[in-house]
């Protein structure tokens, strides 16, 4: 409803939904005592997933503009060493034009642009020789900045795998006037990767993404693996509850009609909001572009080991697992899969709020083992 995306109706509707959700909690508490979305879930898990779905449905209705990205530190503070308990934000410049090849040049109006990124817990010192995770946050291409306010728990999860994590605030599809439609986020992903390669060798970088960020990191992997890309090969790619078909998600019924809808918290209207904005103004007759929006059914050869993690009862599980099997079917590809039992969507980002911390930690341990195994294998080679 377009009227609800503008004030004053936007504010009135938001207040009404928040009050209704609050007042309905006693009813749902009683209801979930007898019948839960999944039989193994606790009462807390049942209530939080229900509340998360209501909140995302609200966002999809009022369609707020993206939050401003975190600001980089001032020149007076950027030279000081950050403490281990804080994050540091920096500017990611536009890379050399050689790194932006088709389909990144498919839009006449969307071009490379400077963005920011947040380090966790702080930038690596010059002598650091371990892995760095370049992670793209989730949020349906409509919300999130990769800052501690919305991705702090994801960063904490990833810090169990590597000592340093970098999260870019890529352009969102919900940006005004179509400025965040494809290929804006993929352009920013390339810029962020090149930014790290100017300081560290590619085999020390692990690419990662959750939910929409999982879709983005798979697009980056496809681009790196293409003949047109001169980018170095990263250590591995980690995909957490990744979406693999953003053309299908533009139909709300794909999510709402899923057999797993009741055991997940993503409403169809939220997924469709980002999907429709992502393809706004995009030439869907261009197969080279469609192959990045719909990865499912378009497996590709890659030298980069790929690891895919899904929640067993999440809506996106079936597509992500099918894509994993398709990638395994390409000769030479190395693909690992982890299924978190009785778990909904993207607990590496939302586990602390939903009550699935144990499952998020389980996923992190599996991801770390995969990266370590890849590292040992390459050392043997």
């Amino acid at each position: 409803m377009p009227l609800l995306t503008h004030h004053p109706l936007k504010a009135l509707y938001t207040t009404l939904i928040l009050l209704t959700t609050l007042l309905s909690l006693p009813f749902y508490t009683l209801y979930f005592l007898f019948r839960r979305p999944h039989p193994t879930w606790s009462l807390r898990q049942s209530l939080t997933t229900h509340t998360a779905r209501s909140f995302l449905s609200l966002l999809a209705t009022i369609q707020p503009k993206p939050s401003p990205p975190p600001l980089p530190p001032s020149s007076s503070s950027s030279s000081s060493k950050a403490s281990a308990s804080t994050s540091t934000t920096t500017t990611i410049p536009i890379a050399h034009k050689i790194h932006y090849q088709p389909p990144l040049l498919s839009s006449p109006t969307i071009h490379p642009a400077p963005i920011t990124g947040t380090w966790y817990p702080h930038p690596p010192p010059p002598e650091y020789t371990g892995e760095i995770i370049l992670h793209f946050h989730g949020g349906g291409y409509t919300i999130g900045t990769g800052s501690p306010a919305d991705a702090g728990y994801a960063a904490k999860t990833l810090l169990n795998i590597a000592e340093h994590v970098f999260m870019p605030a890529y352009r969102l599809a919900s940006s005004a006037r179509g400025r965040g439609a494809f290929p804006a986020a993929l352009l920013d992903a390339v810029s962020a990767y090149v930014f790290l390669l100017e300081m560290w060798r590619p085999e020390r970088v692990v690419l990662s993404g959750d939910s929409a960020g999982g879709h983005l990191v798979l697009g980056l992997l496809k681009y790196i693996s293409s003949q047109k890309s001169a980018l170095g090969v990263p250590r591995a790619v980690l995909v957490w509850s990744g979406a693999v078909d953003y053309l299908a998600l533009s139909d709300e019924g794909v999510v709402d009609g899923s057999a797993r809808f009741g055991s997940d918290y993503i409403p169809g209207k939220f997924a469709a909001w980002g999907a429709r904005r992502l393809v706004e103004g995009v030439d869907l007759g261009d197969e080279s572009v469609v192959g990045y929006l719909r990865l499912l059914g378009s497996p590709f050869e890659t030298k980069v080991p790929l690891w895919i993690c899904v929640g067993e009862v999440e809506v996106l599980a079936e597509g992500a697992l099918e894509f994993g099997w398709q990638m395994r079917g390409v000769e030479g590809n190395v693909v690992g899969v982890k299924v978190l039992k009785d778990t909904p969507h993207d607990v590496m980002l939302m586990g602390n709020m939903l009550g699935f911390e144990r499952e998020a930690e389980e996923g992190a341990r599996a991801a770390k083992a995969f990266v370590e195994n890849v590292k040992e294998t390459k050392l043997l080679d």
Side-chain angles (χ1 to χ4, degrees):
M1 300 176 64
L3 288 176
L4 295 179
T5 64
H6 299 87
H7 292 294
L9 290 181
K10 181 177 181 177
L12 291 172
Y13 181 78
T14 299
T15 302
L16 175 63
I17 294 301
L18 291 177
L19 284 173
T20 301
T21 301
L22 182 63
L23 292 173
S24 67
L25 283 179
F27 167 78
Y28 279 104
T29 300
L30 183 61
Y31 177 79
F32 289 143
L33 284 174
F34 299 96
R35 186 171 182 176
R36 298 179 185 178
H38 193 277
T40 66
W41 288 4
S42 67
L43 179 60
R44 176 197 172 191
Q45 291 168 335
S46 301
L47 284 169
T48 52
T49 51
H50 167 77
T51 304
R53 183 190 297 159
S54 298
F55 179 69
L56 292 179
S57 181
L58 169 64
L59 291 181
T61 300
I62 64 174
Q63 298 186 10
K65 297 296 184 291
S67 303
L71 296 174
S74 63
S75 57
S76 60
S77 62
S78 59
S79 59
S80 62
K81 187 175 180 180
S83 70
S85 61
T86 61
S87 59
T88 301
T89 304
T90 188
T91 299
I92 301 171
I94 298 173
H96 190 280
K97 63 181 181 180
I98 192 175
H99 296 300
Y100 305 109
Q101 300 294 327
L104 299 182
L105 308 176
S106 59
S107 172
T109 59
I110 298 174
H111 309 288
I115 58 171
T116 61
T118 303
W119 281 105
Y120 297 89
H122 52 78
E127 65 273 15
Y128 180 68
T129 59
E131 282 79 30
I132 296 164
I133 294 180
L134 172 59
H135 182 78
F136 301 97
H137 67 82
Y141 282 114
T142 55
I143 58 175
T145 62
S147 66
D150 57 73
Y153 183 75
K156 178 182 176 182
T157 303
L158 293 168
L159 287 171
N160 290 307
I161 304 169
E163 293 182 33
H164 295 276
V165 175
F166 187 57
M167 290 196 194
Y170 59 86
R171 283 172 284 180
L172 298 176
S174 53
S175 301
R177 295 184 292 278
R179 290 177 296 187
F182 183 88
L186 188 53
L187 284 166
D188 296 343
V190 170
S191 298
Y193 185 48
V194 172
F195 173 72
L196 293 186
L197 296 189
E198 291 176 350
M199 295 172 281
W200 294 281
R201 296 181 60 83
E203 59 267 23
R204 291 174 56 193
V205 178
V206 175
L207 302 180
S208 176
D210 65 279
S211 194
H215 179 264
L216 179 55
V217 80
L218 285 171
L220 179 58
L221 173 62
K222 183 170 184 173
Y223 183 74
I224 291 170
S225 304
S226 72
Q227 295 297 318
K228 298 175 183 177
S229 173
L231 297 170
V233 177
R235 170 80 69 198
V237 170
L238 309 177
V239 179
W240 313 78
S241 294
V244 293
D245 188 348
Y246 255 89
L247 294 183
L249 289 177
S250 63
D251 178 1
E252 295 181 22
V254 169
V255 171
D256 292 345
S258 169
R260 294 183 174 91
F261 178 76
S263 56
D264 209 348
Y265 59 87
I266 302 178
K269 64 163 59 176
F270 180 79
W273 171 31
R276 292 167 186 168
R277 294 299 299 272
L278 185 65
V279 301
E280 194 173 285
V282 174
D283 179 11
L284 297 181
D286 186 341
E287 289 299 324
S288 67
V289 170
V290 170
Y292 280 82
L293 297 168
R294 175 180 286 148
L295 294 153
L296 185 63
S298 302
F300 52 89
E301 181 181 356
T302 182
K303 297 179 181 178
V304 186
L306 171 63
W307 181 83
I308 296 173
C309 180
V310 299
E312 184 182 30
V313 297
E314 68 167 298
V315 169
L316 299 182
E318 184 176 355
L321 291 174
E322 184 178 350
F323 177 73
W325 287 114
Q326 291 174 355
M327 289 293 286
R328 277 185 176 179
V330 179
E331 185 176 358
N333 284 2
V334 175
V335 181
V337 172
K338 174 66 177 178
V339 178
L340 299 174
K341 184 174 175 58
D342 300 337
T343 303
H345 180 67
D346 202 4
V347 295
M348 70 86 62
L349 176 71
M350 298 279 289
N352 61 328
M353 289 185 279
L354 299 176
F356 288 91
E357 297 95 331
R358 180 171 55 84
E359 289 79 4
E361 293 168 1
E362 179 186 343
R365 288 193 297 270
K368 182 174 183 178
F370 181 81
V371 172
E372 289 296 324
N373 184 59
V374 167
K375 181 177 180 179
E376 291 174 4
T377 302
K378 288 190 175 183
L379 287 173
L380 290 174
D381 292 341

